[in-house]
Structure formats: structure tokens, C-alpha cells
Amino acid sequence: MSAKEWWWSLFTHMIEIYMVNTWSAYLIANANERPLLLDVRRIIGFLYISKKTEATSKRQGPQENKLMGGQVSTDIRLDPGNHFIRPTKTQKKCA
């Protein structure tokens, strides 16, 4: 068994603190309910596992300009030519 990275125990401890704080805040907010810490861990785990992520990023790059409607033409995208990045003052462009 290989040794864990030095930060791994800190990371898992932070998750433990998060779980216990969530559980104690829930107990304070809902005095009539007394779930076990294990139940809260299971619920949080299931929520993270079942959370759906988007396939596309919401970040807009230089290819998503208003003139082309966010699409790169098929001729440019499938071009087998050599596209090298040429540095400019404002942004990097293919040379």
C-alpha cells in the first residue's frame, strides 16, 4: 500500500468537519428531529453522487463571438492544417 499525499489527511479532516457542522446545524434548526450523524453522511453522499453535471462549460471563450453565433465553421474545425499559436499583444491566434 502506497503512502498518501501529505495533504490527504487534511482534506479528509476538512470533510469530516463539514459533516459534523452540517449535522449540528441541522439539530439546532430542527429540534424535533434527531437524525444520526451516519444518516446525514449518507444523505450528503447520495446528493453528491446523484448530482448531475453539465457536459458543456458555461465559460465563454474567444470562439464564441457574436458574428459566428458561438460556432466555429466546419471548414476551420476539420482542417488538417498546422495551426500554431502566434502570440499577439491582445490574445493568442493561430498563425
Side-chain angles (χ1 to χ4, degrees):
M1 183 178 204
S2 62
K4 300 274 187 208
E5 294 287 331
W6 64 268
W7 49 266
W8 185 253
S9 61
L10 296 175
F11 177 72
T12 55
H13 188 68
M14 293 296 286
I15 293 174
E16 285 290 320
I17 292 171
Y18 163 73
M19 295 283 185
V20 172
N21 285 343
T22 302
W23 176 63
S24 62
Y26 185 83
L27 291 178
I28 291 170
N30 301 309
N32 55 349
E33 295 182 35
R34 306 295 290 176
L36 297 174
L37 178 58
L38 180 61
D39 295 334
V40 174
R41 286 183 183 184
R42 284 182 183 151
I43 292 169
I44 292 172
F46 287 136
L47 287 175
Y48 275 114
I49 290 171
S50 65
K51 183 178 178 182
K52 295 183 181 182
T53 58
E54 294 182 14
T56 59
S57 175
K58 292 184 179 181
R59 212 173 121 195
Q60 293 183 355
Q63 72 275 8
E64 296 186 37
N65 59 24
K66 294 179 182 176
L67 296 176
M68 296 182 68
Q71 298 293 324
V72 177
S73 69
T74 307
D75 296 334
I76 294 172
R77 193 168 54 86
L78 300 177
D79 181 24
N82 298 327
H83 297 278
F84 298 103
I85 295 177
R86 174 179 44 136
T88 62
K89 291 182 181 178
T90 56
Q91 67 181 25
K92 296 180 180 181
K93 297 181 179 180
C94 288

